Amino acid sequence: MARVALVTGGTRGIGAAISIALRNANYRVAANYNVNDEAANQFKTETGIPVYKFDVSDAASSASGISAVEADLGLVDILVNNAGIACDGMFHNMTYDQWSAVIRTDLDSMFTCTRPVIGGMRERGFGRIIIISSINGQKGQVGQANYCAAKAGVIGFAKALAQENANKGVTVNVIAPGYIATEMVKVIRDDVLKSKILPLIPVGRLGEAEEIARGVIYLAADGAGFITGSVLSINGGQLMS
């Protein structure tokens, strides 16, 4: 039977590309979302991938949502922790609500979504946990203290969890995208994109969501069992480490 994959934030942008790529690789895919019902229903209609609405920043909501996924599709073998938000602003002007909203969604979700599935993965002797971080979690970015803290935090989480589960057949890895041509980036003015952003990217272009998805497919495979605790940077050469 095909392995079951859950993608949080899986109906738009990078998450949608990941969900589709996993489906095309013959996984049974569930795509999570929280807010945009219209976009989620359109995604479901166009792809045939079932969607599940729950709030990854809330432990009870996540546990209930994941239970629904497993009741419908089977136990989760591959978890892609992709859901995230940004609420930018200079730190000296940032409110606690701006800080907390990003930390809850982008970092607390590592607990709320991983905790319900990790036990079963360990018992079955197989699991793939793939976390979508960001180049800004590696290098920092002005106006994103909350986002950078969360995206750096997920890297530390992954390295610890990878060590705890390496002998149980469960791998934990991170993908850190650079600037990807998603809705969030496409709203940047064209002159700003050309003068301020593209010159920083050695390959001279934005990345595509499908390029991140191909990294997920690689790390999710049964044959990727010797890769754990790693950070795969997909950023066009903008940051080399």
Side-chain angles (χ1 to χ4, degrees):
M1 183 177 292
R3 295 199 185 279
V4 176
L6 169 60
V7 184
T8 67
T11 63
R12 299 172 65 191
I14 290 173
I18 293 169
S19 295
I20 292 167
L22 286 165
R23 180 206 62 187
N24 292 345
N26 298 317
Y27 294 92
R28 302 179 70 189
V29 181
N32 152 263
Y33 77 103
N34 184 37
V35 175
N36 195 324
D37 293 316
E38 181 179 356
N41 289 329
Q42 182 178 348
F43 174 83
K44 179 181 179 180
T45 299
E46 292 176 352
T47 66
I49 296 171
V51 299
Y52 294 82
K53 184 175 184 178
F54 59 88
D55 181 0
V56 300
S57 73
D58 181 83
S61 178
S62 298
S64 177
I66 292 169
S67 291
V69 170
E70 296 194 321
D72 291 345
L73 301 182
L75 299 176
V76 172
D77 301 298
I78 294 102
L79 171 64
V80 183
N81 280 319
N82 166 75
I85 63 170
C87 190
D88 296 348
M90 298 296 283
F91 185 74
H92 59 272
N93 294 321
M94 186 176 291
T95 67
Y96 179 73
D97 286 346
Q98 289 175 305
W99 172 271
S100 181
V102 172
I103 295 298
R104 289 199 317 271
T105 299
D106 295 20
L107 183 56
D108 286 358
S109 60
M110 297 304 107
F111 182 93
T112 64
C113 295
T114 307
R115 184 64 182 83
V117 302
I118 189 71
M121 290 179 177
R122 286 170 58 89
E123 290 174 6
R124 297 190 301 277
F126 180 89
R128 299 284 184 264
I129 298 168
I130 302 162
I131 301 166
I132 308 302
S133 179
S134 167
I135 187 174
N136 290 344
Q138 297 173 298
K139 72 176 186 63
Q141 178 61 42
V142 171
Q144 288 195 320
N146 48 3
Y147 183 80
C148 294
K151 291 302 186 179
V154 304
I155 294 175
F157 169 80
K159 290 181 179 295
L161 199 65
Q163 293 180 57
E164 291 183 9
N165 293 280
N167 66 349
K168 296 295 185 180
V170 180
T171 65
V172 188
N173 292 289
V174 176
I175 294 177
Y179 281 93
I180 306 299
T182 60
E183 292 176 18
M184 184 183 299
V185 172
K186 287 178 179 178
V187 301
I188 298 173
R189 293 201 327 261
D190 192 57
D191 61 313
V192 173
L193 185 67
K194 290 179 178 178
S195 65
K196 301 292 186 182
I197 295 175
L198 292 182
L200 300 176
I201 306 173
V203 302
R205 65 172 176 85
L206 299 176
E208 297 295 335
E210 291 75 15
E211 293 177 292
I212 308 304
R214 286 195 285 273
V216 171
I217 296 300
Y218 174 69
L219 293 172
D222 283 21
F226 202 59
I227 306 167
T228 195
S230 294
V231 179
L232 175 59
S233 294
I234 306 179
N235 60 37
Q238 185 178 353
L239 179 69
M240 301 182 187
S241 60

